Amino acid sequence: QWQLVESGGGLVRPGGSLRLSCAPSGFTLDEYAISWFRQAPGKEREGVSCISSRGGRLKYADSVKGRFTISRDNAKNAVYLQMNSLKPEDTAVYYCAATFRACPATGWGARSMDYWGKGTLVTVSS
């Protein structure tokens, strides 16, 4: 069984920070591009960020540029999403997903992802 597991979600005040982690169960990540998606209550799932298999290419949604940073450590077999200056509108369930293809040049390619995690809830509230 191959699976992704997210961790690091929780309740944080506006302006605060969280770091999410994505780790595999049953395989290694070094040949996969990894994306983060999120789904807020009552809204559709949206792409947040993507990192190429070697970390050389990064992609961010306009809504998180300058606040979120995606990174990976293939030696530790993990991918991270550092979230700073959090806003209430960042509240969502965050999912990581892996693809053997590259980060999509256009859009986020959710339907092309090979593996998904179950998600971790991030709540930004005062």
Side-chain angles (χ1 to χ4, degrees), residues 26-95:
F27 68 104
T28 57
L29 295 177
D30 59 0
E31 296 186 52
Y32 293 84
I34 305 296
S35 294
W36 287 94
F37 294 81
R38 67 184 182 186
Q39 187 166 24
K43 297 184 178 180
E44 296 183 351
R45 182 176 296 180
E46 63 177 350
V48 175
S49 188
C50 185
I51 186 168
S52 62
S53 61
R54 298 178 181 177
R57 300 292 185 184
L58 308 176
K59 181 179 180 179
Y60 297 96
D62 289 342
S63 60
V64 306
K65 285 182 179 177
R67 299 189 298 121
F68 291 11
T69 302
I70 191 170
S71 63
R72 69 189 302 154
D73 187 340
N74 285 344
K76 295 182 178 180
N77 205 21
V79 173
Y80 308 100
L81 184 68
Q82 178 67 45
M83 306 185 295
N84 298 328
S85 301
L86 284 163
K87 305 174 181 179
E89 50 263 45
D90 294 317
T91 296
V93 176
Y94 284 72
Y95 303 87

